[in-house]
Amino acid sequence: MRSPLARRVAASALAVVLIGGASGCAALPSTSSPVPTSTASTPGPTPSVTAPTSEPPATPEPTQTPSGDFGGFAGEELAQICVDATLSAFPADVAFTIGDTRIEQRLVSPEWLVLVPAQASGLEAQAQCTIGGSPSAPVLGMSSASLEPLPEEQIENLIRGENEGGDR
C-alpha cells in the first residue's frame, strides 16, 4: 500500500502528464529550430540589482535565483524558454513570476531543472522544464504545466533524473 505522500506525488505526476499531453507535441520545439518567443503579456522580470541592506534577504528554501550564468544561459533565458514551452497548457489568465524562478542543476541531461511560479485561475501554478544545450541551440527535455507546485521530494527526483514521466 502506498503512503498518502506517494499517492499525491503519483497523482501530481499523472496530472502533469495529462496536462502536458493535452497541450500537444507542438509545444516542444525541435532541437534544430529556434526557441519561440511568447506574445502573451507577462509581468517583466524584477530588476536583479537591489540597494544594499544591512540584512541578507530571507529565503524560505534553498533556491537559485534566475540571475546568473547557467552553462551559458542567463536565468531569465531559461525561465522564458520554459514559459514559452508551457504557456499553451495553462488557462488564459496565467501570470508567471519569472523573478522567482527556481533553477537547479541536474545530475543528468538536460542539465537544468527550471520551475517558474505562476498564478492561474486563482491557484498557485508552476511551469516545469528540463533544459540543456546552449543559448543558440537550447534542448528542451521535459515541459509541463501544473496547477500546484511540485513537492520537494519530486523536485529532488527530477534533479536525479528519476520519475520524469511519473512512476515507472
Side-chain angles (χ1 to χ4, degrees), residues 9-29:
V9 169
S12 293
L14 179 60
V16 166
V17 169
L18 292 175
I19 290 171
S23 68
C25 293
L28 296 175

Side-chain angles (χ1 to χ4, degrees), residues 10-167:
S12 293
L14 179 60
V16 166
V17 169
L18 292 175
I19 290 171
S23 68
C25 293
L28 296 175
S30 71
T31 58
S32 63
S33 66
V35 175
T37 57
S38 173
T39 57
S41 64
T42 58
T46 33
S48 59
V49 178
T50 57
T53 61
S54 60
E55 296 177 23
T59 52
E61 56 187 58
T63 62
Q64 294 180 349
T65 61
S67 61
D69 181 43
F70 301 95
F73 289 99
E76 292 82 6
E77 278 182 291
L78 289 171
Q80 191 62 52
I81 291 168
C82 190
V83 165
D84 291 343
T86 60
L87 184 63
S88 65
F90 283 104
D93 68 345
V94 67
F96 296 93
T97 312
I98 290 179
D100 292 334
T101 298
R102 178 176 175 179
I103 301 171
E104 297 286 345
Q105 188 166 16
R106 292 169 21 106
L107 303 176
V108 296
S109 188
E111 184 176 11
W112 304 106
L113 172 63
V114 181
L115 305 169
V116 184
Q119 288 286 319
S121 301
L123 301 170
E124 282 190 53
Q126 188 177 63
Q128 304 146 355
C129 301
T130 56
I131 302 170
S134 67
S136 62
V139 175
L140 187 65
M142 170 197 79
S143 65
S144 62
S146 175
L147 292 179
E148 65 180 48
L150 286 178
E152 191 62 33
E153 180 180 351
Q154 182 61 21
I155 292 169
E156 294 302 318
N157 287 341
L158 290 171
I159 289 170
R160 291 188 304 269
E162 300 170 1
N163 296 330
E164 291 188 36
D167 289 337

